[in-house]
């Protein structure tokens, strides 16, 4: 009997709320309801536009981060080859790192960081050129390039 009473009171509350809501909506002028609906539609349009804009930037951002990670890996390998006095492989790794940085910059065209990545690729190519022509290349110079890559990965 107690469960029946709880269900009955619950149904009365729901029915009363429905009648009250109907009365409230019925008392409002139609133009006010249309304005409310139009406002709701514009808010939903803005929300969907924001979601689309946010998700469109994700693949490019992921590609640039992957390019930066690959370039960092090549820089570390080049430093290792430099320590082993394997200058040919170090130069090859630096060239691949510069290409990866260029590709990462191309995928960042929407954020305006393309010039930054191109400058970083230029520094890497200069280090590769110095190594190729027989100049000594310090680990500190490669560490500096790696720190810049790490800085952009942290963003």
């Amino acid at each position: 009997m107690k469960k029946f009473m709880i269900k009955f009171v619950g149904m009365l509350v729901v029915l009363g709320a429905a009648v009250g809501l109907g009365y409230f909506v019925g008392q409002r002028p139609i133009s006010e309801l249309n304005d409310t609906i139009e406002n709701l539609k514009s808010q939903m349009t803005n929300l969907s536009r924001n979601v689309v804009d946010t998700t469109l930037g994700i693949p490019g951002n992921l590609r640039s981060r992957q390019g930066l990670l690959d370039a960092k890996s090549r820089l570390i390998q080049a430093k290792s080859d430099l320590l082993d006095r394997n200058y040919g492989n170090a130069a090859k790794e630096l060239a691949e790192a510069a290409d990866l940085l260029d590709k990462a910059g191309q995928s960042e065209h929407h954020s305006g960081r393309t010039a930054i990545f191109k400058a970083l690729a230029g520094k890497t190519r200069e280090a590769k050129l110095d190594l190729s022509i027989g100049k000594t290349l310090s680990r500190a110079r490669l560490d500096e390039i790696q720190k810049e890559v790490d800085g952009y990965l942290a963003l």
Side-chain angles (χ1 to χ4, degrees):
M1 187 72 175
K2 195 174 187 180
K3 287 183 181 180
F4 175 74
M5 288 299 289
I6 292 174
K7 286 183 181 179
F8 181 71
V9 170
M11 286 297 286
L12 281 177
V13 168
V14 169
L15 186 62
V19 169
L21 184 64
Y23 178 76
F24 178 74
V25 170
Q27 294 298 317
R28 299 264 181 197
I30 292 177
S31 62
E32 187 176 315
L33 289 175
N34 285 338
D35 291 343
T36 305
I37 291 171
E38 289 300 320
N39 188 17
L40 186 61
K41 282 182 183 179
S42 67
Q43 287 178 354
M44 292 301 291
T45 303
N46 289 338
L47 179 66
S48 64
R49 186 175 298 126
N50 289 341
V51 168
V52 168
D53 290 345
T54 302
T55 56
L56 284 178
I58 290 174
N61 190 15
L62 289 176
R63 276 193 295 273
S64 69
R65 289 188 65 76
Q66 184 63 45
L68 284 171
L69 285 172
D70 292 341
K72 180 180 176 181
S73 169
R74 299 294 183 174
L75 285 169
I76 291 171
Q77 185 61 42
K79 285 191 325 188
S80 173
D81 288 336
L82 192 63
L83 283 174
D84 292 340
R85 299 188 189 280
N86 192 349
Y87 301 118
N89 282 348
K92 179 180 156 188
E93 295 292 336
L94 287 173
E96 289 180 19
D99 291 341
L100 289 167
L101 287 169
D102 277 335
K103 287 179 185 175
Q106 289 171 356
S107 64
E108 281 285 326
H109 61 85
H110 64 279
S111 70
R113 296 192 317 174
T114 304
I116 295 170
F117 288 134
K118 283 189 179 194
L120 196 53
K123 285 182 183 180
T124 308
R125 282 195 179 90
E126 286 175 10
K128 182 238 177 217
L129 182 63
D130 288 347
L131 191 60
S132 296
I133 62 173
K135 286 186 178 179
T136 58
L137 183 64
S138 67
R139 278 187 49 211
R141 189 167 169 192
L142 293 180
D143 286 340
E144 177 187 323
I145 295 170
Q146 184 182 342
K147 283 181 186 176
E148 286 188 47
V149 170
D150 286 339
Y152 294 124
L153 279 171
L155 296 177

